[in-house]
Amino acid sequence: VQLQASGGGLVQAGGSLRLSCAASGRIFSIGVMGWYRQAPGKQRELVATITSRGRTNYADSVKGRFTISRDNAKNTVSLQMNSLKPEDTAVYSCTADVSSAYMLGDTNYWGQGTLVTVSS
């Protein structure tokens, strides 16, 4: 199973970016999908998660600005980021709990990070 993230880049403060992540490979079902970020010199932190039924969870720092969504048919998860701030600058990584066969438990997978830089 591979996760391929895209959509990072450079944006001015107040701007928007949309990150996308597609899972491919031997996939029977996907449970929780999410986004984490790691800023320079800081620990990785949760940004947002979404269950297969659409229940979402957000870090307090992004509530009201970021929206996570997923397309279960396409095995994708997206992160719409609005009103970006310089402190949102980080490498963003997607993650997914994937089951590769019926009755097989989930394995957590991570995609490669994508850099988001917000200039002031």
Side-chain angles (χ1 to χ4, degrees):
V1 175
Q2 293 184 328
L3 300 182
Q4 181 69 45
S6 61
L10 173 63
V11 65
Q12 288 188 332
S16 298
L17 277 177
R18 184 176 180 87
L19 305 182
S20 295
C21 178
S24 61
R26 190 169 212 160
I27 298 171
F28 177 76
S29 64
I30 302 179
V32 177
M33 304 183 83
W35 292 91
Y36 286 71
R37 68 186 181 186
Q38 187 166 20
K42 295 187 177 181
Q43 290 189 331
R44 185 170 62 192
E45 62 175 359
L46 167 74
V47 177
T49 60
I50 184 168
T51 69
S52 59
R53 296 187 176 186
R55 178 175 292 182
T56 59
N57 179 53
Y58 295 93
D60 288 342
S61 59
V62 307
K63 282 180 181 177
R65 301 188 297 122
F66 291 11
T67 302
I68 190 171
S69 60
R70 65 189 281 173
D71 185 329
N72 291 330
K74 296 181 179 178
N75 294 329
T76 60
V77 61
S78 297
L79 186 69
Q80 177 66 41
M81 305 184 293
N82 299 328
S83 302
L84 282 161
K85 304 175 181 180
E87 51 263 44
D88 294 318
T89 295
V91 175
Y92 286 71
S93 299
C94 59
T95 181
D97 294 334
V98 180
S99 172
S100 294
Y102 178 66
M103 294 296 287
L104 191 64
D106 291 347
T107 298
N108 182 241
Y109 292 92
W110 288 81
Q112 90 290 358
T114 184
L115 178 61
V116 172
T117 303
V118 184
S119 63
S120 57

